[in-house]
Amino acid sequence: MSAPVYILGGCQTDFARNWLKEGKDIVTMLQEAVSGGLTATGIEAHEVEVAHVGNFAAELYCKQGHLGGFLAEIDPAFSGIPTSRHEAACASGSVAMMMAAAEIEAGRYDLALIVGVEQMKTVDPATGGDFLGTAAWYEKEAKGVEFPFPKLFGRLGDEYEKRFGLKEEHLARIAEINFSNARRNPQAQTRGWFTDETQNLSSGKYANPVAGRLRVRDCSQVTDGATSLLLASDTFARQYAARRGLTVEQLPRILGWGHRTAPMKFDTKMAESKNSPYILPHTRQAIVDTFRRAALPDVWSVQGIETHDCFTTSEYMAIDHFGLTKPGESWKVIEEGVIEFGGKLPINASGGLIGCGHPVGATGTRQALDAFKQVTGQAGEYQIEGTKKIATLNIGGSGTTTVAMVIGV
Amino acid sequence: MSAPVYILGGCQTDFARNWLKEGKDIVTMLQEAVSGGLTATGIEAHEVEVAHVGNFAAELYCKQGHLGGFLAEIDPAFSGIPTSRHEAACASGSVAMMMAAAEIEAGRYDLALIVGVEQMKTVDPATGGDFLGTAAWYEKEAKGVEFPFPKLFGRLGDEYEKRFGLKEEHLARIAEINFSNARRNPQAQTRGWFTDETQNLSSGKYANPVAGRLRVRDCSQVTDGATSLLLASDTFARQYAARRGLTVEQLPRILGWGHRTAPMKFDTKMAESKNSPYILPHTRQAIVDTFRRAALPDVWSVQGIETHDCFTTSEYMAIDHFGLTKPGESWKVIEEGVIEFGGKLPINASGGLIGCGHPVGATGTRQALDAFKQVTGQAGEYQIEGTKKIATLNIGGSGTTTVAMVIGV
């Protein structure tokens, strides 16, 4: 990193909420995430110098664009600060963080507010599935297709089966772990869905097929939610640390990051990677870039991972792409219990996109906030003991845009 | 500027084209703008390290999000480079430039590709007007309103009338100059619309009322178009200059910029500015920031302006906000011929949004490309003689997001 970028904290809305049913809109959601983030960090609105919004498709779900324009409506203290909205499908939140960090690294600003946001429960499931199709090549991969994304990530599973072999039990175990973890997270969407950890996952509605090899339990949720973050330069972080009776070294930073984009079409991706050891080589490269920038030798240098698990197949992919196993051998660490809460390298202690929820534009910022909570010992019931560093992996489209980070002290 | 950011050139598509009628989509539009930009600059695709897309609402107009994912579909040489899409309504193109520049200033990359793009002629005018309403607070300012933006910018004229007085003849003259200038621009949408400069502007369909005080002639066009730009660090720019037999000092740079966001609602803006000398004080501040960063004393240090003229009232506002006159006295320089082609400080030699066209997400990049052409003596028939520096002003929403720049040598 050319200049350090600190994470001072933030706020996640309760992902179990349905904002339309509460009579609230995306502007209210922005407002609650922002005011919650200011409260959590003890920062005053007038200290914020710039704001970035991560959002996938409020135009479709909420008939509203130009979300950056709402900051000054939320709080007059924001009037005049520069704002913008950033989008890379399900990686929109991370891309917003990347842009905020770039402006801090460039020396433009010392304190940035980032909000990832998505209100999705405004439409029926079929319409929502169709809207999500615009994260793929809509005309070629989604138009007229029922639930295009489960199909695409089912095909990711098919590709694993073809190249390395893949057993359904390992995907089911990924789902089980995420749902189980979510029960410890007081802001997870599914925290109250099961009376015991495994109920209904292997039979009943959660085992019903959705598309291709994927069942209901393999899919992340349709979620309303927002997550705010405050990012700071070294100058602001030092003042802030002093205010809180801390040293700047105690504040978490973005220690490394990777950002790569593959071709849009899943077919193009698979054709391109056919001779690569990795099914999504650009996702692998983003992870390699991240650890190189963080000057860390490998994934075992972090104490936990918050990964994209829009489907169980994407987490299965993340496991070998992070280097927990050789390519195609993700099943080994699943069987060994490595990725479970309490395991050697827990994945998605939060519950991930399957258990915690997946408000598309807020997922990257939610991952970063959970990383912040873990490395500052504020994750409560889902705290991983002795955590200094957490890796995140946020993916847009069918493996198209990847942003990875290592956050820690 | 913390580190210099150079503009190496780019490509504008012909804004008179209707891509749907040609059987082409937004991906083809991206492709033509990108390949044209590479040809124009002599840069190879494999040299590009990062790409940024500026786009307002392809989700609505084209049922497509995640536009950054198309780069690697356009040219396999882009596979793996980081991409993202940026949005701030009609200022989306400038915001994409701002983010690309931040990453270069931060030392992340040496060569960035930016594409501003919008395909708008996919829907009927009423639907298009409704889509544009999502650049304002849709629920409060646009829902159920026919052509919300002409109404909002009509109100900007009303506010001028109330505070300072405003004569229709001055707005009409702004329209006339823009249409007249567009006739010299071989890529302007309206270049062939009139057989002489004034025909039909004061009578006939161009004088028909649209909303409030605004007539057809006062409105920018519905346009399909894209503009690419190549932005470079000092390191790349020096190599590039050497290749072209130039010195780096001969390459245009972003000499200064300003980026400010006002409250979304027009009512909130007007209430906030009621005691300010300027009707849009944050737009004024973005301009002041720009000239301060460029270390230039005032607007008379540039030889031309490319301004946002989504409506004649926004150009009328730009004139006093740039400081060509005292607040409320824009009419003076209109009457004196200052802003005409050949005048002391020509505005929109390109024809602007009224004459050249307004493909929303491409307007900021188009302004920057026209600034590049002017300061490198490549503007052909619409070349302003002896130009070293051009100021740009790009606005999203009803004066909500403002990005201004000075581009030059």
Side-chain angles (χ1 to χ4, degrees):
Chain A
M1 307 285 284
S2 54
V5 177
Y6 294 86
I7 302 182
L8 307 183
C11 169
Q12 181 201 319
T13 62
D14 180 350
F15 282 2
R17 293 172 67 182
N18 179 318
W19 292 64
L20 187 64
K21 283 193 180 164
E22 294 180 27
K24 292 176 178 171
D25 64 8
I26 195 168
V27 182
T28 320
M29 199 183 287
L30 275 167
Q31 186 164 28
E32 289 196 23
V34 168
S35 64
L38 295 176
T39 302
T41 55
I43 284 169
E44 307 275 345
H46 68 83
E47 296 182 280
V48 172
E49 293 176 357
V50 63
H52 296 266
V53 178
N55 172 261
F56 166 48
E59 294 87 348
L60 296 174
Y61 288 103
C62 309
K63 195 81 186 274
Q64 184 61 61
H66 205 178
L67 295 182
F70 288 108
L71 269 296
E73 295 287 351
I74 287 173
D75 190 327
F78 296 132
S79 193
I81 66 165
T83 70
S84 45
R85 172 265 190 128
H86 312 283
E87 184 261 332
C90 304
S92 298
S94 292
V95 162
M97 283 184 70
M98 288 296 301
M99 296 305 124
E103 290 202 319
I104 290 171
E105 291 169 40
R108 290 183 181 178
Y109 309 106
D110 288 311
L111 183 63
L113 169 66
I114 298 98
V115 197
V117 64
E118 208 83 50
Q119 184 179 16
M120 303 178 75
K121 293 181 172 182
T122 54
V123 295
D124 64 86
T127 304
D130 185 61
F131 286 173
L132 286 167
T134 65
W137 194 332
Y138 186 79
E139 279 289 329
K140 300 194 177 188
E141 297 182 293
K143 193 175 183 178
V145 177
E146 199 184 18
F147 301 118
F149 265 91
K151 283 204 176 59
L152 289 166
F153 277 93
R155 290 188 58 203
L156 179 62
D158 299 344
E159 199 70 20
Y160 264 97
E161 179 160 49
K162 192 175 83 181
R163 298 195 197 183
F164 306 107
L166 176 65
K167 289 186 182 166
E168 181 167 329
E169 67 196 61
H170 295 122
L171 298 184
R173 183 63 190 144
I174 285 172
E176 200 173 52
I177 294 169
N178 279 301
F179 282 121
S180 168
N181 288 351
R183 292 168 56 82
R184 295 182 201 93
N185 181 348
Q187 286 169 304
Q189 183 172 1
T190 71
R191 63 187 183 266
W193 283 16
F194 307 99
T195 51
D196 72 66
E197 286 188 11
T198 56
Q199 185 191 347
N200 287 329
L201 277 183
S202 54
S203 64
K205 69 174 180 176
Y206 292 96
N208 286 342
V210 174
R213 66 169 60 235
L214 298 186
R215 299 170 182 274
V216 171
R217 68 183 181 226
D218 294 299
C219 303
S220 56
Q221 310 311 319
V222 173
T223 312
D224 286 350
T227 318
S228 62
L229 290 170
L230 287 138
L231 262 56
S233 71
D234 194 59
T235 304
F236 191 91
R238 283 176 189 278
Q239 295 168 9
Y240 180 79
R243 257 193 232 179
R244 315 276 284 190
L246 300 168
T247 64
V248 75
E249 293 75 17
Q250 291 174 283
L251 299 180
R253 286 191 288 139
I254 301 172
L255 296 168
W257 55 268
H259 178 193
R260 296 275 174 180
T261 307
M264 192 74 146
K265 253 198 331 183
F266 193 75
D267 284 343
T268 316
K269 288 181 187 82
M270 291 306 102
E272 194 194 50
S273 79
K274 67 177 190 290
N275 297 316
S276 164
Y278 292 93
I279 291 182
L280 295 174
H282 302 297
T283 295
R284 169 65 184 167
Q285 190 58 49
I287 291 168
V288 168
D289 293 344
T290 301
F291 282 83
R292 175 180 51 75
R293 288 192 174 103
L296 295 173
D298 57 33
V299 74
W300 305 105
S301 314
V302 302
Q303 288 76 48
I305 291 172
E306 284 290 329
T307 191
H308 213 78
D309 57 319
C310 48
F311 300 93
T312 52
T313 50
S314 32
E315 180 165 335
Y316 194 85
M317 178 278 297
I319 293 170
D320 63 352
H321 282 58
F322 260 114
L324 274 79
T325 68
K326 289 181 193 165
E329 297 184 357
S330 301
W331 58 273
K332 286 188 177 174
V333 290
I334 297 170
E335 289 192 356
E336 291 164 2
V338 170
I339 67 168
E340 294 168 20
F341 190 73
K344 187 180 169 193
L345 187 48
I347 296 185
N348 291 349
S350 67
L353 286 60
I354 289 173
C356 183
H358 183 30
V360 171
T363 282
T365 47
R366 196 275 307 155
Q367 293 176 332
L369 181 61
D370 270 319
F372 170 86
K373 288 178 182 172
Q374 290 289 349
V375 302
T376 56
Q378 299 179 64
E381 292 295 309
Y382 63 105
Q383 179 69 46
I384 304 165
E385 275 181 50
T387 304
K388 298 285 185 195
K389 294 175 180 68
I390 295 280
T392 65
L393 179 66
N394 189 200
I395 290 173
S398 59
T400 307
T401 301
T402 300
V403 180
M405 294 184 196
V406 171
I407 290 168
V409 288
Chain B
M1 306 285 281
S2 55
V5 176
Y6 293 86
I7 302 181
L8 307 184
C11 170
Q12 181 201 320
T13 63
D14 179 350
F15 282 2
R17 293 171 66 181
N18 180 318
W19 293 66
L20 187 65
K21 283 194 181 165
E22 293 180 28
K24 293 176 179 173
D25 64 9
I26 194 168
V27 182
T28 319
M29 199 184 287
L30 274 168
Q31 185 163 32
E32 291 196 22
V34 168
S35 65
L38 295 176
T39 303
T41 54
I43 285 169
E44 308 275 345
H46 68 83
E47 295 182 282
V48 173
E49 294 176 355
V50 63
H52 296 266
V53 177
N55 172 260
F56 166 48
E59 293 88 347
L60 296 174
Y61 288 103
C62 309
K63 196 80 187 273
Q64 183 62 59
H66 204 179
L67 295 181
F70 288 108
L71 270 296
E73 295 286 351
I74 287 172
D75 190 325
F78 295 132
S79 192
I81 66 166
T83 70
S84 46
R85 172 267 189 125
H86 312 283
E87 184 261 331
C90 305
S92 298
S94 293
V95 163
M97 283 184 70
M98 287 297 300
M99 297 304 126
E103 291 203 318
I104 290 170
E105 291 169 39
R108 291 184 180 176
Y109 309 106
D110 287 311
L111 183 63
L113 169 66
I114 297 97
V115 197
V117 64
E118 208 83 51
Q119 184 179 16
M120 303 179 74
K121 294 182 171 181
T122 54
V123 294
D124 63 86
T127 305
D130 185 61
F131 287 172
L132 286 167
T134 66
W137 194 332
Y138 187 79
E139 279 291 328
K140 300 195 178 189
E141 297 182 292
K143 193 175 182 176
V145 177
E146 198 183 20
F147 303 116
F149 265 90
K151 284 203 175 61
L152 288 167
F153 277 93
R155 289 189 57 203
L156 179 63
D158 298 344
E159 198 70 23
Y160 264 96
E161 180 160 47
K162 192 175 83 179
R163 297 194 197 183
F164 306 106
L166 176 65
K167 289 187 184 169
E168 181 168 329
E169 68 196 59
H170 296 121
L171 298 183
R173 183 64 190 143
I174 285 173
E176 198 173 54
I177 293 169
N178 279 301
F179 282 120
S180 167
N181 288 350
R183 293 167 55 82
R184 295 182 200 92
N185 181 348
Q187 286 169 304
Q189 182 172 359
T190 70
R191 63 187 183 266
W193 283 15
F194 307 99
T195 50
D196 71 68
E197 286 187 12
T198 56
Q199 185 190 347
N200 288 329
L201 277 183
S202 54
S203 64
K205 67 174 180 175
Y206 292 95
N208 286 342
V210 174
R213 67 170 59 236
L214 299 186
R215 300 170 181 273
V216 172
R217 67 182 182 227
D218 293 300
C219 303
S220 56
Q221 309 310 319
V222 172
T223 311
D224 288 348
T227 318
S228 63
L229 290 169
L230 276 307
L231 260 57
S233 72
D234 194 60
T235 304
F236 190 92
R238 284 177 189 278
Q239 295 167 10
Y240 180 79
R243 259 192 228 177
R244 316 276 284 190
L246 300 168
T247 64
V248 75
E249 292 76 18
Q250 290 174 285
L251 298 180
R253 287 192 287 138
I254 301 172
L255 295 168
W257 56 268
H259 178 192
R260 296 275 173 180
T261 307
M264 192 73 146
K265 254 198 329 184
F266 193 75
D267 283 343
T268 316
K269 289 181 186 82
M270 291 306 102
E272 195 193 50
S273 78
K274 67 177 190 291
N275 296 317
S276 164
Y278 292 93
I279 291 182
L280 295 173
H282 301 297
T283 296
R284 169 64 184 168
Q285 190 58 49
I287 291 168
V288 168
D289 293 343
T290 301
F291 282 84
R292 175 180 51 77
R293 288 192 173 102
L296 295 172
D298 59 32
V299 73
W300 305 106
S301 312
V302 302
Q303 288 77 47
I305 291 172
E306 285 290 328
T307 192
H308 213 77
D309 57 319
C310 48
F311 300 93
T312 50
T313 50
S314 32
E315 179 165 335
Y316 194 86
M317 178 278 297
I319 292 170
D320 63 353
H321 282 57
F322 260 114
L324 273 79
T325 68
K326 290 181 192 166
E329 298 184 357
S330 301
W331 59 272
K332 286 189 177 174
V333 289
I334 297 170
E335 289 192 356
E336 289 163 4
V338 170
I339 67 168
E340 293 168 22
F341 191 73
K344 187 179 169 194
L345 187 47
I347 296 185
N348 291 348
S350 67
L353 285 61
I354 289 172
C356 183
H358 183 29
V360 172
T363 282
T365 46
R366 195 278 306 157
Q367 290 176 334
L369 181 61
D370 269 319
F372 170 86
K373 288 178 181 172
Q374 290 289 350
V375 301
T376 56
Q378 299 179 65
E381 292 294 311
Y382 63 103
Q383 180 69 46
I384 303 165
E385 273 181 53
T387 304
K388 299 285 184 195
K389 294 175 181 68
I390 294 281
T392 65
L393 179 66
N394 188 200
I395 290 173
S398 59
T400 308
T401 302
T402 300
V403 181
M405 295 186 196
V406 171
I407 290 167
V409 288

